[in-house]
Amino acid sequence: MNESIKKPLYFYTKNSKDFNFQKLNEENLDLARQICVRNMLIQRKLELIIAKFNEKKINYIILKGFHLINTIYPSGVRSMEDIDILINPKDYLKVDEILNTLNYEKCVFILSLKIHQNFSKKITYQDNLSPAIPVDIHLSLGPYPYLGKLNYSFLFEKIESIKVNALEINVLLPELLLIHLCLHSFSHIHENSNSHSCDIISVVRYYNYKFDWSFFIKTVKNFGLIMPVKHSIYRAISYENFEIPVNLKKIFENYQPSFFEKFIFNYSLNNINDTDKYPIQYISTPGILKKIKLIPQIIYPGKVFLKSYFNKSYIKYIKNILTLFKNL
């Protein structure tokens, strides 16, 4: 999405204490109207999906944008670009069937669906309507290089619900929402950094004294998320200053990562494009046997996949795979 659509978000973050739409200039007011319309379309699509999930008794958690625009941001401030839903991996086939009935199709890039499911922990769907609104089905929470550290079994015990129109929507507790935003920000280090910082700043401001920093610190420590969370929070503070607890600062300052964690973190900081994440996902995801079992499919993904994405050319596919690992 065009960076200009972020302007109302930046304005709100800098002026949240006395925010008023009347203070927006003509360009930003027009952008806010565009955001409202787009968000309404996305919200309607999401409500249709959730109604089907409820009908089939599928557990889910709605992530990021939808949660933020229905709890924290005034209408027209933050744009939604896609729909993010966390599910129990055991429900994936049911979810796939529901999305197919709603005319969504899977989008696979570079690697086969099975490899995406095992290492990206996310499958993207898209329908053929305009505007195009991708639906990301997450099987775990925590983009590379800490993939899968916050899994569904832990997260489904830490949810609350918000009422949107006639639906009760499951969302993360505020502390987990902030952790997720930090991980998401870190996984997109070289893109939209200011907008990600705005989300982090807005969550901290909105919950203020109601925020359970002890639970936040405990979760970050127990799941080994200190380095990406620290990076994202300090980057947000550099954009717009806000206070964090002294004991969290001490943990950030005194933490000594392992050699492996340093390597993964530094590689992620230096990644230059979206495909750099794949080798990191493969290396850092736990389970040696799982990795070994998928090696044959990485070497040869099958005729159908090659036909769909590489014009039947195995050479083009191999070149893409080799470029993924060249910077390791």
Side-chain angles (χ1 to χ4, degrees):
M1 185 177 288
N2 193 309
E3 181 67 16
S4 66
I5 205 76
K6 311 287 185 187
K7 287 182 179 180
L9 176 61
Y10 301 153
F11 182 85
Y12 172 81
T13 305
K14 297 288 185 182
N15 303 276
S16 60
K17 288 183 180 177
D18 59 347
F19 178 78
N20 189 321
F21 272 105
Q22 302 306 317
K23 294 181 180 180
L24 291 173
N25 60 29
E26 189 175 337
E27 179 194 8
N28 280 344
L29 198 55
D30 184 54
L31 289 170
R33 293 189 187 104
Q34 292 178 41
I35 290 169
C36 279
V37 172
R38 181 179 173 86
N39 286 356
M40 286 171 63
L41 288 170
I42 295 176
Q43 184 150 315
R44 178 56 185 153
K45 288 193 173 195
L46 177 58
E47 288 172 359
L48 291 173
I49 293 171
I50 294 308
K52 291 283 187 182
F53 280 15
N54 291 341
E55 187 182 309
K56 297 291 183 181
K57 294 182 169 46
I58 291 171
N59 288 328
Y60 68 88
I61 301 173
I62 303 301
L63 304 170
K64 292 201 331 275
F66 182 85
H67 186 175
L68 294 169
I69 68 168
N70 283 287
T71 54
I72 292 176
Y73 291 119
S75 180
V77 165
R78 189 197 190 274
S79 63
M80 285 177 64
E81 298 181 21
D82 53 19
I83 295 169
D84 291 279
I85 309 174
L86 176 71
I87 65 162
N88 184 331
K90 291 180 180 178
D91 289 330
Y92 172 65
L93 291 179
K94 292 179 186 176
V95 169
D96 181 63
E97 186 179 346
I98 288 171
L99 291 175
N100 288 337
T101 63
L102 294 172
N103 297 315
Y104 286 91
E105 294 183 354
K106 289 183 281 287
C107 304
V108 178
F109 307 99
I110 300 179
L111 297 172
S112 71
L113 178 62
K114 188 174 181 181
I115 296 168
H116 271 279
Q117 285 175 301
N118 277 277
F119 297 109
S120 297
K121 301 291 184 185
K122 181 181 82 170
I123 298 106
T124 300
Y125 289 78
Q126 195 158 303
D127 61 13
N128 56 6
L129 300 177
S130 182
I133 311 295
V135 176
D136 286 336
I137 300 297
H138 296 257
L139 307 175
S140 176
L141 181 61
Y144 76 104
Y146 302 91
L147 191 68
K149 288 292 184 76
L150 287 170
N151 58 36
Y152 73 92
S153 58
F154 170 77
L155 294 165
F156 278 119
E157 295 175 357
K158 308 287 189 301
I159 60 173
E160 59 185 12
S161 63
I162 57 174
K163 190 158 189 179
V164 180
N165 296 331
L167 290 173
E168 293 284 336
I169 306 289
N170 296 331
V171 296
L172 292 169
L173 292 177
E175 298 79 17
L176 294 174
L177 170 62
L178 180 58
I179 291 172
H180 177 39
L181 291 172
C182 288
L183 293 174
H184 182 73
S185 175
F186 183 71
S187 73
H188 295 273
I189 300 167
H190 302 295
E191 51 182 293
N192 297 335
S193 62
N194 287 345
S195 62
H196 296 143
S197 292
C198 288
D199 286 342
I200 291 169
I201 293 162
S202 296
V203 168
V204 174
R205 282 178 177 169
Y206 180 81
Y207 289 103
N208 199 10
Y209 297 109
K210 295 180 285 184
F211 200 81
D212 187 347
W213 281 110
S214 295
F215 173 59
F216 177 88
I217 292 169
K218 181 181 176 182
T219 305
V220 168
K221 285 177 68 177
N222 288 351
F223 287 91
L225 304 171
I226 291 174
M227 293 187 77
V229 169
K230 172 186 175 181
H231 184 274
S232 297
I233 284 182
Y234 281 175
R235 185 169 62 175
I237 289 172
S238 71
Y239 181 72
E240 185 73 12
N241 192 42
F242 61 92
E243 285 297 318
I244 60 172
V246 173
N247 52 342
L248 180 58
K249 288 181 183 176
K250 286 181 179 176
I251 289 168
F252 284 164
E253 290 165 5
N254 297 329
Y255 182 66
Q256 296 296 320
S258 66
F259 172 82
F260 180 71
E261 192 177 355
K262 273 185 189 175
F263 167 75
I264 298 293
F265 180 82
N266 289 330
Y267 180 89
S268 301
L269 280 179
N270 296 323
N271 81 72
I272 55 173
N273 60 57
D274 197 43
T275 58
D276 281 353
K277 66 187 177 185
Y278 292 112
I280 288 298
Q281 286 172 344
Y282 185 81
I283 291 167
S284 64
T285 300
I288 293 173
L289 284 177
K290 187 190 294 184
K291 295 174 187 175
I292 292 171
K293 284 179 182 177
L294 285 173
I295 286 174
Q297 192 171 8
I298 293 172
I299 294 171
Y300 185 74
K303 290 181 180 178
V304 174
F305 180 77
L306 292 174
K307 181 181 178 182
S308 299
Y309 298 98
F310 291 95
N311 278 337
K312 301 182 182 179
S313 172
Y314 182 66
I315 292 172
K316 285 182 182 178
Y317 170 74
I318 288 297
K319 282 182 178 178
N320 270 273
I321 294 298
L322 291 175
T323 57
L324 293 181
F325 288 88
K326 69 180 180 181
N327 294 323
L328 277 178

